Amino acid sequence: MGHLYEKYVWEIPVRATHWVNVLSIAVLTLTGIYIGSPATLGATPSDYVMGWVRFVHFTAAYLFAVSVASRIYWAFRGNRYASWREFFPILTPAGRRNMLATFRYYTFLCKKGPQPVGHNALAGTTYALVFVLYLVMIVTGFTLYAEHAPLGTMHKLTGWLLVLFSNQTLRLTHHCVMWLLIGFAIHHVYSAWLMDVKERGGVMSSMFSGYKAVRTKD
């Protein structure tokens, strides 16, 4: 086992968008569940509970959309660990080898797996799929939101979806993807904690500081 060195891996835009996504998804989930199954929380109609919940939901949605767009932009401007290439290891022979080695490690077919500085190959691929889910949530959400203003710019940009799919289909898709993201979040936290314990690379703390413990000085 080699010496551990401290390396700056996760840049500020990566960490900032990560935590903005965490906060916005938590708020969107809680308010979305209420909007989907409203309960009477106000003593009188003037309490305007649903109105406030929808306002918080839409504000968090705008924040989430800006955060996701910023992270996609940084995938083309950031360092090698923030690069879009980290999310598509299948495009290179080395990436495919790392995917297979990580799969063998995860399925207990070998005792030691790759220890990349950035994302491991399977995690990177998973994050690419998660970003697809993010985009589905943003597009379906803003399509439903734009229905209140049929002549507005947002409706002109997203209204074609209502031609292809019904309002209820979009709502069901929006709702189902929410549960997929909740499932991913549970798995994500568990995996990060497990890798932190096994690899001792400081995965959890690196999402605050940006630094990871690595075994090479490259």
Side-chain angles (χ1 to χ4, degrees):
M1 182 172 292
H3 295 290
L4 289 173
Y5 304 95
E6 202 171 56
K7 185 176 182 65
Y8 187 61
V9 177
W10 309 123
E11 299 168 300
I12 290 176
V14 174
R15 286 176 281 146
T17 54
H18 175 267
W19 290 116
V20 169
N21 289 350
V22 170
L23 176 64
S24 6
I25 287 174
V27 172
L28 286 165
T29 299
L30 292 175
T31 54
I33 289 173
Y34 180 83
I35 293 169
S37 303
T40 302
L41 298 178
T44 66
S46 62
D47 288 338
Y48 200 56
V49 176
M50 178 57 88
W52 283 113
V53 171
R54 285 168 61 87
F55 172 75
V56 172
H57 190 80
F58 298 148
T59 303
Y62 277 108
L63 183 65
F64 179 64
V66 171
S67 177
V68 171
S70 301
R71 181 62 183 89
I72 292 174
Y73 167 77
W74 200 250
F76 296 91
R77 293 295 305 271
N79 65 16
R80 57 184 289 193
Y81 308 111
S83 170
W84 63 271
R85 294 177 180 82
E86 286 276 298
F87 301 100
F88 298 97
I90 198 169
L91 296 178
T92 65
R96 291 192 288 274
R97 284 195 297 273
N98 282 331
M99 289 178 71
L100 179 61
T102 307
F103 176 78
R104 288 171 57 81
Y105 176 62
Y106 279 177
T107 52
F108 307 107
L109 295 175
C110 64
K111 293 183 178 179
K112 190 173 182 180
Q115 295 188 352
V117 176
H119 301 303
N120 76 51
L122 285 185
T125 303
T126 303
Y127 297 151
L129 295 174
V130 168
F131 267 83
V132 171
L133 295 181
Y134 285 171
L135 294 177
V136 170
M137 288 299 275
I138 291 169
V139 172
T140 55
F142 279 119
T143 301
L144 294 169
Y145 173 70
E147 284 188 293
H148 80 283
L151 299 179
T153 302
M154 189 176 293
H155 190 271
K156 291 177 181 175
L157 292 174
T158 61
W160 58 273
L161 270 173
L162 289 166
V163 177
L164 297 175
F165 306 101
S166 69
N167 171 286
Q168 289 306 312
T169 300
L170 293 178
R171 287 183 184 279
L172 181 62
T173 302
H174 200 68
H175 187 82
C176 289
V177 173
M178 177 194 74
W179 287 108
L180 288 176
L181 290 175
I182 291 174
F184 163 74
I186 294 171
H187 169 75
H188 182 57
V189 172
Y190 170 74
S191 297
W193 170 79
L194 180 64
M195 290 299 103
D196 216 3
V197 171
K198 291 181 72 66
E199 296 179 352
R200 301 183 186 279
V203 173
M204 300 290 276
S205 60
S206 72
M207 285 314 299
F208 294 95
S209 67
Y211 287 89
K212 285 183 71 177
V214 300
R215 300 191 186 282
T216 57
K217 273 189 170 180
D218 63 332

